[in-house]
Amino acid sequence: MNTAVRRTATVALAGGLLLTASPLAAPAAAAVPIPSISAKGGFLLDQADGKAIYGKANTTRRQMASTTKITTAIVVLTTPGVDLNRKVTVKQAYRDYVVRNGASTADLRTGDKLTVRQLLSAMMLPSGSDAAYALADTFGTGTTTAARTKSFIGKMNAKAKQLGLTNTMYDSFDGISAAGNNYTTPPELAKMARHAFSSAVFREIVKAPSYKAAATTSTGGTRTYTWYNTNKLLGSYSGANGIKTGTGTAAGPCLVFAATRGTKTYVGVALNAPDRFNDAAKLLDFGFGSTTARTMELRSLPAGAQRD
């Protein structure tokens, strides 16, 4: 059931949250009907105060594919004393993982040294699972790669618990889940995204349509990587400034998105959404009281760019 809230009381019901339309809706927004979206689950909230604007299938747990990397990023960024200029050496294991799983990649080359900041862009723009692996291996604790990545996933679950997310679970640092124990609900993923979006570094990373990184090779040379953001909403929807795509067999197409116009920012989620970018535009229009979705033309990705 599609529902909406406009500066009104929320009523808790058994098994979920009832969002009720308010007669006090802003005049501009009142002209925009509650949108119909393709997503099986969706949510929109006000970044400033976290108030719900729209919800669909709020309590149904769904896999989230690479939108998992939002949590990977914010766990890294909220690590005490994190050094974004720390150099990380790419291991062959990271490349092997991508090949083994058919995962999206930043095409990191074995032996190259990249900074943590560069790896965050490599993970969030082309959705590089190799970069996610590198970050989990670097920021986890333990004497083996397996132990460190397991430790890092534990930190992701601790972050969810810290935010009070009771229907969110991670068994993966990038969204590839063999057991299917990597799930969330639309409002909980939106809450995690809101938390991440409060980081200035995170915002800077996810709003970029592309990013170039100069890395040091194993022989001391320089390799320049160019990554393109898989989020086609950027440059297509006025004010769009994030956040992350995701696609998986069980999860379907997913999108966590954000846009800012004036002093207002909305963050939203579309899970298992065949028409995810238009879904996002419709939900943002509902928040802003606009009709941008009707004429939006999606940005094209360059040939050879990752799709996610």
Side-chain angles (χ1 to χ4, degrees), residues 6 9 25 50 59 76 78 99 112 125 139 152 174 177 212 219 242 251 258:
R6 289 285 177 197
T59 60
V76 170
T78 54
V99 172
D112 282 5
L125 272 67
F139 285 89
F152 186 85
D174 64 347
S177 174
K212 284 191 176 183
T219 58

Side-chain angles (χ1 to χ4, degrees), residues 18 22 71 134 136 151 163 176 212 217 225 231 273 307:
L18 174 65
S22 167
T71 306
S151 160
L163 295 177
I176 295 175
K212 284 191 176 183
T217 68
Y225 291 92
N231 180 7
R307 268 69 175 170

Side-chain angles (χ1 to χ4, degrees), residues 88-99 105-114 119 130-131 133-134 215-221 223 225:
V88 176
T89 302
V90 177
K91 298 178 181 178
Q92 182 63 36
Y94 308 156
R95 291 181 60 87
D96 292 344
Y97 173 83
V98 164
V99 172
T105 177
D107 196 24
L108 303 180
R109 304 301 176 90
T110 303
D112 282 5
K113 294 179 175 61
L114 292 91
L119 287 172
D130 42 0
Y133 195 167
T216 304
T217 68
S218 58
T219 58
R223 190 191 319 279
Y225 291 92

Side-chain angles (χ1 to χ4, degrees), residues 198-219:
S198 66
S199 161
V201 175
F202 182 90
R203 292 196 304 273
E204 180 185 359
I205 289 168
V206 299
K207 75 179 182 181
S210 64
Y211 184 82
K212 284 191 176 183
T216 304
T217 68
S218 58
T219 58

Side-chain angles (χ1 to χ4, degrees), residues 1-6 19-22 25 29-37 44 53-56 279 282-287 290 294:
M1 179 176 71
N2 292 351
T3 48
V5 172
R6 289 285 177 197
L19 307 181
T20 57
S22 167
V32 180
I34 297 175
S36 174
I37 59 174
L44 187 74
I53 305 299
Y54 171 98
K56 178 181 179 180
D279 284 351
K282 288 177 182 178
L283 291 178
L284 289 168
D285 274 353
F286 185 62
S290 61
R294 296 178 188 175

